[in-house]
Structure formats: C-alpha cells, structure tokens
Amino acid sequence: MKIRVVTMGRHYHETEGLPEFLELQEAASLDDAIDRLGELLSPGASFPGSCLIAVSGKHVGTIASHSAVSLGDGDELMLLAPVAGG
Amino acid sequence: MNLSPAEQERYSRQLGAGVLSEEAQLNLRRSTALVTRVGGMGGPAALMLTMAGVGRVIIAHGGDLISPDLNRQVLGSEAVIDRPRAPHFADYLRSMNRFVEVDYVDHEPSDSEALELACKSNIVLSCPPTFEERLRLNRAATKAGVPLIDAAQWGMTGTMMVVRAGLTACLQCVYPQPPPFEEFFPVVGAISSAIGSLAALEAIKILSGTGNPLFGKMLTYDGFQGRVTTMELTRTEACPCCGGL
Ligand SMILES: [Zn+2]
C-alpha cells in the first residue's frame, strides 16, 4: 500500500529530502511508517518527540506518545514539528 | 442599544448578508479580547480586532521595539525603535478606531495576572514566542471559561488552533510537554500577518456569533510548499489542564 507523507513546522527544510509517497506492507502500523521515515532522514537527524502526528486529518498524538494506528492505502501521514514564534 | 449612525458608517462594509448582522456587530462592541503578545501575529490580530469594532482590546507585551522586529511587527514603526512597545502599540490601535477602548500591559503576564486578565475577557488570543507562555494562557483561559485561539509561526509556515476547554482539546492536550524554545526563529512577516489575521477572524466569528468557528481544529498554513490543511484535534482524558472538565 501507499501513503502520502506531509511534513511541516519548525525546521521544515530538513525534511525536504523525504519522499511524498511511502510504500508500506499491507496493514502497516503508524510506528512502521515513522521508523521508515526516520531511516530516510539525514544521518544523525530524528523527528522530535514533540512532533505532532495526524493520520488523514485526525490528530493521534506526538512522536513521543501516540495511539496505535493501522494505516490504510491512501492515508495521509502528517508530521508537524511544533512552532511558536511571536 | 443600537449602533450609532457614526458606527453604522464605520462598519458599513462589514455589515450585511454573509458578514455581520447589526446584532453581531453589537456583540463585538460588548466584547473584550486579550491579545498577548502583539508582535508578528498578535499585532495584526489586535489591529483587525480593533478595526472590526471589538469594544475593548487588551494587549500585553514587554520590552522595547528593536530594528529586526520591523520585518513583521505591524504596530511598530521606525519612530518607535528603542521605545517601549506596549504604550506605543496601544496608541497606534487607538488611532485606528475611536469607538474601541484599548488597554495595555507592559510586560508578559504572570500566572495570576494571566488569569485575572482572562477573567475580564471574552476571548484570549495567544501569540507569544514560548510554549511556557502559551500553556500559561491556555490554563488561564480554561479556568476563566473563555475560548482561546493559539497562533504560531516559523519561517513561511504557521498554525492556528481554536480551543473551547472542556469541549475540545486544549493546548496542553496537544502539547503535553512544552516543545523546545527557539529565540531567534526565522520568519517572513507576510506569514505572521496572515496567521494573525486568521486568528482575528476566528475571534470575530466567536465573539459576534457568526459563521462556524474552527473549534477543536488546527489550521496549518504551509506557505513554503503552498499547502493548507486542517487537523481534527483529540482531547487527552488525563490532561492536567482540562481533564476534569
Ligand atoms: Zn487539555
């Protein structure tokens, strides 16, 4: 199956090399997808624990703490590194 | 009480079908909005609330204006550099609408001050640079029982979430631990104004009773990639801020 990957937020330029679509095994979990994406980041880079996760528009927690989710073909996985600013 | 002829003239472009009814405009006039802080996003937000006719706008911001602020802080000007932001920004807001009362606090509110200010307000707009301040405003709005709009930015991207504690996820449900603070974050002023103005629009909708506010949602605006999305936020049952509500 194939999911779409959207990254944004703080230091968004560091994830520009990630693919827009990710091929995964059938019934892959959210953690499988995060692990795969982590492997594709630059050496030494990782997603921050506070990074928000949404699956097809529904917020499911953070990298550090999220609910177990099974992904389906066509899902959109959004990873959002929190921003503040002022 | 009705709008005066002068108020009807001032707001004539925002009164009517698809925008505000006269009753909605009166609701705005009866309202108080707290905006803290009033830099890149809070400044345009406070300006739009003032120009829209929110009866009382309270702004909070410490320190003096510095030159790098002027890529995004629309309430400032060259003449205000090295001068305290809050009183000058309040003067500018007053100059934009004689029908609105503008008060200022010249520092970042403490826990107790934030609660006191939230209790005087009908809505809180959270636009500070640190998550500690944002979570403080979230706690204050939750205790005061008023909605909170959180606006945030980085680079060419921004987020905005609209909270009604007890009914929707609050800021602490979404950020259980304060994410890292970055003092010298990059930002283009155009995204600051866009996010600040969208926060003001949500506040105007909520205060006036118009349209469908984005309660329980986070709007993300990725100006770098040209992408706008909406995320449905999930409450945390054990949230220390809103868990018992
Ligand atoms: Zn909460």
Side-chain angles (χ1 to χ4, degrees):
Chain A
M1 69 176 185
K2 191 158 76 172
I3 64 163
R4 184 163 188 232
V5 178
V6 173
T7 57
M8 71 164 284
R10 190 164 174 257
H11 295 188
Y12 51 76
H13 51 286
E14 291 176 5
T15 59
E16 271 195 287
L18 291 180
E20 185 181 356
F21 294 97
L22 194 64
E23 290 279 357
L24 294 167
Q25 288 187 335
E26 288 305 310
S29 70
L30 173 59
D31 284 330
D32 295 332
I34 293 169
D35 289 346
R36 279 287 302 283
L37 289 170
E39 291 164 7
L40 297 172
L41 289 174
S42 314
S46 61
F47 295 110
S50 56
C51 195
L52 301 188
I53 305 171
V55 176
S56 294
K58 185 145 179 58
H59 161 233
V60 296
T62 62
I63 290 277
S65 171
H66 54 266
S67 42
V69 178
S70 288
L71 299 174
D73 189 49
D75 269 340
E76 180 185 271
L77 171 59
M78 180 189 238
L79 298 172
L80 194 165
V83 298
Chain B
M1 221 159 110
N2 295 330
L3 294 173
S4 68
E7 287 173 302
Q8 283 183 342
E9 181 189 22
R10 169 61 57 92
Y11 303 125
S12 57
R13 296 297 299 269
Q14 66 187 40
L15 288 170
V19 275
L20 304 182
S21 65
E22 185 155 335
E23 185 55 35
Q25 186 71 53
L26 285 165
N27 287 340
L28 281 189
R29 192 175 75 180
R30 288 189 278 263
S31 299
T32 296
L34 169 66
V35 187
T36 175
R37 305 182 199 186
V38 281
M41 295 169 297
L47 180 60
M48 288 302 117
L49 295 178
T50 302
M51 293 173 78
V54 172
R56 187 177 180 213
V57 176
I58 306 173
I59 62 171
H61 204 131
D64 294 350
L65 188 76
I66 57 174
S67 182
D69 293 341
L70 283 182
N71 83 321
R72 66 195 184 285
Q73 297 198 9
V74 300
L75 302 185
S77 71
E78 294 283 354
V80 180
I81 289 177
D82 295 332
R83 304 175 78 179
R85 293 185 187 93
H88 289 94
F89 288 6
D91 279 346
Y92 177 66
L93 292 172
R94 291 183 193 111
S95 78
M96 294 302 290
N97 194 343
R98 66 184 184 276
F99 304 108
V100 171
E101 184 186 339
V102 179
D103 295 330
Y104 71 84
V105 176
D106 64 1
H107 55 272
E108 283 64 68
S110 64
D111 279 350
S112 58
E113 287 171 319
L115 179 57
E116 193 182 322
L117 288 165
C119 287
K120 288 181 193 167
S121 304
N122 303 101
I123 199 160
V124 175
L125 278 75
S126 150
C127 312
T130 70
F131 278 97
E132 280 77 7
E133 278 184 68
R134 289 168 187 272
L135 291 167
R136 173 184 300 146
L137 293 167
N138 178 64
R139 288 192 297 274
T142 301
K143 277 190 187 159
V146 297
L148 174 124
I149 301 175
D150 185 75
Q153 63 186 6
W154 197 95
M156 294 187 183
T157 68
T159 64
M160 181 190 58
M161 62 182 274
V162 186
V163 174
R164 174 155 266 166
L167 296 176
T168 73
C170 82
L171 207 59
Q172 193 152 358
C173 290
V174 178
Y175 301 117
Q177 302 296 329
F181 170 55
E182 187 177 8
E183 187 170 3
F184 297 107
F185 61 92
V187 63
V188 176
I191 191 73
S192 316
S193 282
I195 297 295
S197 294
L198 289 171
L201 182 63
E202 288 304 305
I204 289 165
K205 286 159 58 183
I206 293 166
L207 295 173
S208 68
T210 307
N212 291 313
L214 281 166
F215 280 125
K217 292 180 182 158
M218 177 188 282
L219 178 91
T220 69
Y221 190 101
D222 182 346
F224 192 74
Q225 299 288 352
R227 223 167 18 208
V228 185
T229 57
T230 307
M231 188 191 298
E232 204 174 312
L233 299 169
T234 309
R235 286 189 75 180
T236 302
E237 272 182 39
C239 175
C241 182
C242 76
L245 296 176

